[in-house]
Amino acid sequence: FREIDGQKFIDIHRVTGKGYERAWFTNCKDARYRLLVGARNTKKSVNMIGFESVTKIISNPLRNVLICRKNESDIRQSAYENICGRIFDLGLEGSFIMRKNPLEIEYKPTGQKIIFRGLNSPTGLTSLTFAHGYLTDVYIEEAFELDSYEDFRKLDGSLRGLEAKQHGITLQITMCFNAWDGESWLYTEFFKGRLEDDYETLD
């Protein structure tokens, strides 16, 4: 943290290293969808799911975060432990309650939460509510595990907080995944004809 005029600020460069400043929520705050694809050693889960979800919670008292993966059984040893580790890295363990039943992390000062769910039944996520604030951010770990674009759309439809938008908060879904093949719905829906390498210009 850096302290300026009595307020504490997180130094993003020192936390994440170089390469993530353009993806951090302060710069992509108006983007509904963000897709982060890369190898396992690119720290996308540590930085974007771990550090960013924590800083979103502490930066705005209306934000609540959903972390999901296709199978809920995989979340405990991946996303949950990841975020707990980042809370300790930031020295904020005294400000959070980390529960394993149900699997959730609560920010003590406001009651905001980071919750964890499986996407085995995406329609089961349509009625999520929070005692303090709104569901504003969804992170999908290993997004390529989702079977279809239709399953993604069901989840997308659950993120519809009009009240959050009235407070100037963009509702955002972030998908993290490793490289895919050309048959993946992620490629078809988000990359094909848009964000493809131009092999004629590559050396």
Side-chain angles (χ1 to χ4, degrees):
F1 289 94
R2 292 181 295 126
E3 190 164 328
I4 302 174
D5 297 329
Q7 288 188 307
K8 289 186 176 181
F9 294 85
I10 291 175
D11 188 327
I12 294 173
H13 288 282
R14 292 191 65 182
V15 169
T16 67
K18 294 182 178 180
Y20 282 92
E21 62 270 18
R22 291 182 63 190
W24 200 261
F25 77 96
T26 53
N27 295 320
C28 292
K29 63 183 186 332
D30 296 324
R32 169 104 177 169
Y33 308 117
R34 297 181 306 170
L35 290 88
L36 300 168
V37 57
R40 293 184 183 278
N41 60 353
T42 55
K43 295 176 64 178
K44 59 187 181 300
S45 292
V46 169
N47 285 335
M48 301 308 295
I49 296 180
F51 282 123
E52 190 189 60
S53 62
V54 174
T55 57
K56 279 189 172 182
I57 289 287
I58 65 178
S59 70
N60 190 308
L62 298 178
R63 287 185 179 274
N64 289 277
V65 175
L66 166 65
I67 311 289
C68 49
R69 189 170 175 174
K70 181 179 179 181
N71 296 309
E72 190 165 351
S73 59
D74 295 326
I75 295 176
R76 185 181 303 270
Q77 293 302 319
S78 57
Y80 177 78
E81 294 295 338
N82 172 21
I83 293 175
C84 289
R86 305 298 73 76
I87 289 171
F88 278 89
D89 287 345
L90 293 169
L92 294 173
E93 60 271 20
S95 298
F96 287 87
I97 303 171
M98 304 170 207
R99 301 187 180 97
K100 290 193 174 181
N101 189 21
L103 205 62
E104 64 182 27
I105 297 171
E106 180 179 339
Y107 186 44
K108 289 180 182 178
T110 60
Q112 295 162 268
K113 292 183 179 180
I114 302 172
I115 64 172
F116 303 81
R117 296 288 188 276
L119 292 175
N120 309 65
S121 177
T123 55
L125 301 174
T126 57
S127 59
L128 289 175
T129 57
F130 295 85
H132 303 278
Y134 316 100
L135 175 60
T136 58
D137 298 274
V138 176
Y139 291 82
I140 306 175
E141 187 180 51
E142 307 296 358
F144 64 86
E145 294 177 346
L146 271 69
D147 292 327
S148 67
Y149 181 60
E150 289 69 31
D151 283 348
F152 166 76
R153 290 293 295 159
K154 291 173 186 174
L155 175 62
D156 189 22
S158 69
L159 197 64
R160 56 180 189 277
L162 178 60
E163 297 89 349
K165 293 178 181 178
Q166 290 172 343
H167 288 281
I169 301 173
T170 297
L171 307 179
Q172 193 167 77
I173 297 178
T174 300
M175 290 171 270
C176 294
F177 52 98
N178 299 321
W180 67 89
D181 61 44
E183 301 300 315
S184 169
W185 64 268
L186 285 161
Y187 168 74
T188 302
E189 298 297 335
F190 291 103
F191 290 88
K192 187 176 182 179
R194 302 176 190 174
L195 298 172
E196 295 186 278
D197 290 330
D198 182 353
Y199 292 100
E200 292 183 3
T201 63
L202 294 176
D203 293 331

